[in-house]
Amino acid sequence: MDSALLTLKINYRYKDSSGTVGIEARKFSNSFTGTTFTWDSAAASGAYSDTVSGSLLQIISPQDSILRLRIDTTLIRQWTQLNTGSLILLPTGNTVTGFSPLNAPTDTRPELRVYFRKNDSLQTRDSLSLRMGSGIFVADGGPPTNPGTITLQAGVAYRGVLRFDSLNI
């Protein structure tokens, strides 16, 4: 195995369309299901590895639509030996960027491409492309300070009612 590259297609930006995007990729150690995973699952001690298996710190522009980060092949080798594996992406920059887990109308799911050499006399280079099978998003936030307001914090939206005085328009 020569290298591994994770490709993420940007579909959301918060704070600014330009800014520094930072991501750390780590092995997620705990088992989980989509119906039982919560913020506490991700924040639990030992839930993910202390070892950073890939990182990115990049200034993006409004024209950027894709981010790529190298993933340590040691982690990929562990996954092939165990026949399973999960990755958690942790933000480290000052711009929040969202990535699409969708497969329609075009496939925008994250892609992990693993590059390797065939075991032939020419050591021919080849690659294996894997698309995310499932994904989960969780965020943490405290309760809104005023139940009559709309609050957005760390991806958690507390919705209220917006009222406009149409006489002043």
Side-chain angles (χ1 to χ4, degrees):
M1 198 174 306
D2 294 333
S3 62
L5 191 65
L6 180 64
T7 301
L8 304 163
K9 296 183 181 178
I10 300 171
N11 74 346
Y12 173 81
R13 299 165 198 247
Y14 173 71
K15 190 170 182 179
D16 194 352
S17 59
S18 300
T20 303
V21 173
I23 300 170
E24 285 185 351
R26 297 175 186 229
K27 174 186 172 185
F28 195 78
S29 305
N30 293 350
S31 61
F32 65 91
T33 65
T35 57
T36 62
F37 193 84
T38 65
W39 175 261
D40 292 336
S41 302
S45 177
Y48 54 85
S49 173
D50 291 335
T51 303
V52 176
S53 296
S55 65
L56 171 83
L57 189 60
Q58 175 180 328
I59 296 173
I60 60 169
S61 72
Q63 294 77 30
D64 290 330
S65 61
I66 292 176
L67 295 177
R68 291 188 174 96
L69 62 142
R70 294 201 176 275
I71 303 295
D72 188 350
T73 56
T74 303
L75 177 63
I76 307 302
R77 285 187 183 94
Q78 288 175 0
W79 288 355
T80 58
Q81 291 169 356
L82 299 172
N83 202 27
T84 187
S86 296
L87 194 65
I88 187 168
L89 302 177
L90 303 172
T92 61
N94 65 6
T95 297
V96 176
T97 307
F99 309 103
S100 182
L102 304 176
N103 192 16
T106 58
D107 197 350
T108 59
R109 294 175 296 164
E111 176 190 33
L112 178 64
R113 185 169 293 269
V114 180
Y115 297 91
F116 59 93
R117 296 188 189 276
K118 290 183 177 180
N119 195 13
D120 59 14
S121 60
L122 300 175
Q123 290 287 296
T124 308
R125 191 159 192 228
D126 205 348
S127 66
L128 170 67
S129 176
L130 305 164
R131 295 275 182 181
M132 179 184 76
S134 64
I136 297 173
F137 169 81
V138 293
D140 189 21
T145 55
N146 181 347
T149 62
I150 296 175
T151 306
L152 174 65
Q153 175 188 357
V156 177
Y158 295 97
R159 289 166 174 72
V161 177
L162 284 177
R163 292 190 176 111
F164 296 96
D165 181 358
S166 60
L167 297 176
N168 292 324
I169 295 178

